[in-house]
Amino acid sequence: MQLEVLNTTGKSTGRSVELPDEIFGAEPNNHVIYLAVKQYLAARRQGTHKVKTRAEVQGASRKLHKQKGTGGSRKGNIRNPLYKGGGTIFGPKPHAYTIKLNRKVKDLAKVSALSHKAKESAIVVLEDLTYDAPKTKQFAQLLADLNVAGKKVLFVLPEYNDNVYLSLRNLPRVGSTLLADINTYDVVNADIVVFTEDAAKLLSDKEEAAA
């Protein structure tokens, strides 16, 4: 899959990058994408929810009245879950939501997500971004020039760049990730995935080395 490299004004630079078909031209597997997204969202849950049982709420432990002879229902103590202020029955307890996925399944999910974006023509290759200082206004203009303003955009960078990160941090619906940290959820959640030229070349070189 060959894509032309755009400059920061949205125009072609005359250069192009060959993206590996093994990643961007594979047959997507929707089920593994579902599993990977489910795992990612589950891992974000803290799992610290907790309610008090009848053994933990405040209240006397004496029996409210004798078992028989009152004409009323049988009652235990005031901490009974049937009373206001009593304990909670079968409430949530702290536990982890983590889901285990094999590495091959997670890799296949990323490939499938990127292949979906390629089929939707939602992959863009942009010349490398170089900012001497954080420039949010200039970055917003870049989005407008690329015709992606107002869309969810994910920028994939080869390495961390503090000025680039600070430039896009306050822009709504715009995020960034390192090539090494890219995950299925971020790709699926974005409308457009923008690879910098170096990131795209690095991805191609890694795929050639693996082959």
Side-chain angles (χ1 to χ4, degrees):
M1 175 180 166
Q2 196 162 18
L3 288 179
E4 63 179 356
V5 179
L6 304 180
N7 60 23
T8 53
T9 61
K11 303 292 177 32
S12 175
T13 60
R15 302 189 301 274
S16 63
V17 173
E18 184 71 31
L19 297 177
D21 290 333
E22 293 81 1
I23 296 178
F24 295 90
E27 185 61 33
N29 186 321
N30 292 331
H31 183 62
V32 295
I33 292 177
Y34 158 75
L35 292 176
V37 171
K38 181 180 179 182
Q39 183 201 39
Y40 180 87
L41 294 177
R44 293 174 64 178
R45 300 185 68 174
Q46 288 185 312
T48 54
H49 36 39
K50 173 72 170 70
V51 296
K52 290 185 178 181
T53 65
R54 66 184 300 167
E56 297 168 315
V57 296
Q58 287 187 332
S61 60
R62 69 177 180 83
K63 189 173 174 64
L64 292 176
H65 59 69
K66 62 182 182 177
Q67 184 83 344
K68 295 180 178 290
T70 64
S73 62
R74 295 168 291 183
K75 296 181 177 67
N77 58 40
I78 197 66
R79 295 178 294 179
N80 189 317
L82 299 179
Y83 291 112
K84 181 180 179 181
T88 301
I89 310 172
F90 303 131
K93 298 179 181 179
H95 70 277
Y97 283 92
T98 52
I99 302 170
K100 183 183 182 302
L101 279 186
N102 292 332
R103 170 57 60 185
K104 288 185 177 180
V105 174
K106 295 172 74 173
D107 289 344
L108 178 58
K110 280 191 282 189
V111 169
S112 297
L114 289 170
S115 294
H116 264 304
K117 294 300 178 188
K119 287 187 175 183
E120 296 167 359
S121 298
I123 302 287
V124 175
V125 179
L126 182 69
E127 67 179 0
D128 295 322
L129 299 170
T130 54
Y131 290 141
D132 298 330
K135 299 177 180 177
T136 302
K137 193 172 183 179
Q138 188 172 327
F139 207 95
Q141 183 59 47
L142 166 65
L143 297 177
D145 292 338
L146 292 176
N147 294 321
V148 296
K151 297 182 180 180
K152 288 185 179 179
V153 186
L154 175 68
F155 283 84
V156 182
L157 310 173
E159 58 187 14
Y160 179 75
N161 185 310
D162 196 49
N163 289 331
V164 173
Y165 171 71
L166 293 175
S167 296
L168 63 82
R169 179 177 60 176
N170 290 331
L171 293 173
R173 301 166 69 86
V174 178
S176 67
T177 184
L178 300 183
L179 179 62
D181 298 335
I182 192 170
N183 65 73
T184 303
Y185 176 80
D186 286 341
V187 175
V188 171
N189 190 46
D191 297 322
I192 303 291
V193 180
V194 180
F195 286 86
T196 63
E197 189 173 4
D198 275 354
K201 288 179 178 178
L202 185 60
L203 184 62
S204 298
D205 292 343
K206 283 184 177 180
E207 191 60 29
E208 288 177 4

